[in-house]
Amino acid sequence: MQLGLEGLAIVAAGAYVLWLVSLVGGDASIADRFWGLGFVLLAAWYASNGGGWPIRSWLLLGLTAVWGVRLSVHIHRRNRGKPEDPRYARWRESGGATYWWTSLWKVFVLQAVILWIVSAPLLAGQSSGTPDHLTVADFAGSALWLVGFAFEAVGDAQLAAFRADPKNAGKVLSTGLWRFTHHPNYFGDALIWWGIFLIATSVPGGRWTAFSPILMTVLLVRVSGVRLLEESLRETRPGYADYVERTSAFIPWPPRSRRPESS
C-alpha cells in the first residue's frame, strides 16, 4: 500500500510541474508528450523499491521503458512546432479566464490519476518476491506485449510516412496495417497493457489488476482514442466514411467487400 501511495505522489508531483510548464508555454497538450514517460518513472520506482523478484521487476521495467520512451518521442516529434492540440484548445476557449486553474485538474491531475490506476499491474508484479522464477504467464505476457508493440510502432511509422508525402494530403491511409483496422496503433497499445497484466498474474494478487487493461482498452476505444478521432476524421477526410464501412474499427480483420449501391 505504501509503495502505491508513493507512486501516486510521484505522478502527482510530475503533473504539477508539467502544469506549471504549460502555463508558461500556453499549451496543455504537453501532458500527452509525457504520458509514456510517466509509466517509465513509476516502473523504475517500483523496481528500485518494491522488493520484487529482480528478474520480473526488471523485465517489467524494460518493457515499460521501451514502450513509454518510444511513445513519448513519437508524440513529441508529431506535435513539435504545431499549435495546441484541438481538444485542449476547445477546452481553453470554453474555460475562459479560469482555464489556467481548471486545466490543472481537468488535464494534468486527471491524467496522473488514470496513469497511476493503469500502472497497477506494474505495482503488483514488481512488489512480490514470489514466484522466484519465470512462469508461463511471464512468457505469454511478453509475447503479447511484443505483438502489441509491433502493431503500435509499425502503425505509427506507416502513418507518419503517409502524412510526410505531399501527394497524400487529404487522403486516407488504407494500406499496411491500416488495411485491417482503423487504428493499429491503439489496438497495439491495448495489447501491450494486456500483456503487462498477464505478466502480473504470475504473482499472488496480480490477477486482481485486470481493471488496468480493461480501463486502458475502454479509454482507447470509447473516450480519448477511436471515438474522438473518428468523429473528427469523418468531417475532414473525404472517403473516410467508405474506409470505415469496409475496415474493422479496432481488432484487425480482413477488409469487407463494398456494398453494391442501390439503384
Side-chain angles (χ1 to χ4, degrees), residues 4-35:
L5 293 177
E6 290 171 354
L8 179 59
I10 288 172
V11 294
Y16 180 71
V17 171
L18 287 178
W19 173 66
L20 293 178
V21 173
S22 77
L23 295 182
V24 175
D27 184 1
S29 55
I30 189 177
D32 295 344
R33 304 186 187 196
F34 287 87
W35 170 254

Side-chain angles (χ1 to χ4, degrees), residues 170-219:
K171 295 182 179 179
V172 177
L173 174 59
S174 58
T175 58
L177 294 179
W178 299 82
R179 181 172 181 265
F180 304 100
T181 168
H182 307 177
H183 306 282
N185 46 358
Y186 292 155
F187 172 74
D189 205 349
L191 279 192
I192 282 170
W193 283 98
W194 281 106
I196 289 176
F197 160 70
L198 194 54
I199 294 174
T201 63
S202 296
V203 308
R207 69 183 63 181
W208 300 110
T209 64
F211 58 82
S212 162
I214 292 174
L215 174 59
M216 179 63 87
T217 303
V218 169
L219 289 173

Side-chain angles (χ1 to χ4, degrees), residues 7 29 49 57 96 100 113 144 154 162 170 178 182 204 215 221 227 249:
S29 55
N49 300 277
S57 289
W100 71 273
V113 171
L144 190 60
V154 173
F162 181 82
W178 299 82
H182 307 177
L215 174 59
V221 176
R227 183 178 182 180

Side-chain angles (χ1 to χ4, degrees), residues 53 55-64 66 134-150 188 191-202:
W53 185 53
I55 292 180
R56 183 172 296 107
S57 289
W58 291 99
L59 169 64
L60 286 168
L61 173 57
L63 296 179
T64 304
V66 170
L134 293 175
T135 68
V136 172
D138 290 310
F139 288 107
S142 298
L144 190 60
W145 179 95
L146 184 60
V147 174
F149 185 78
L191 279 192
I192 282 170
W193 283 98
W194 281 106
I196 289 176
F197 160 70
L198 194 54
I199 294 174
T201 63
S202 296

Side-chain angles (χ1 to χ4, degrees), residues 73-92:
V73 169
H74 168 72
I75 294 176
H76 172 71
R77 288 176 174 173
R78 185 188 66 190
N79 295 347
R80 182 173 50 194
K82 295 182 179 179
E84 187 176 37
D85 185 286
R87 294 172 298 167
Y88 302 117
R90 287 194 294 269
W91 289 351
R92 184 180 299 278

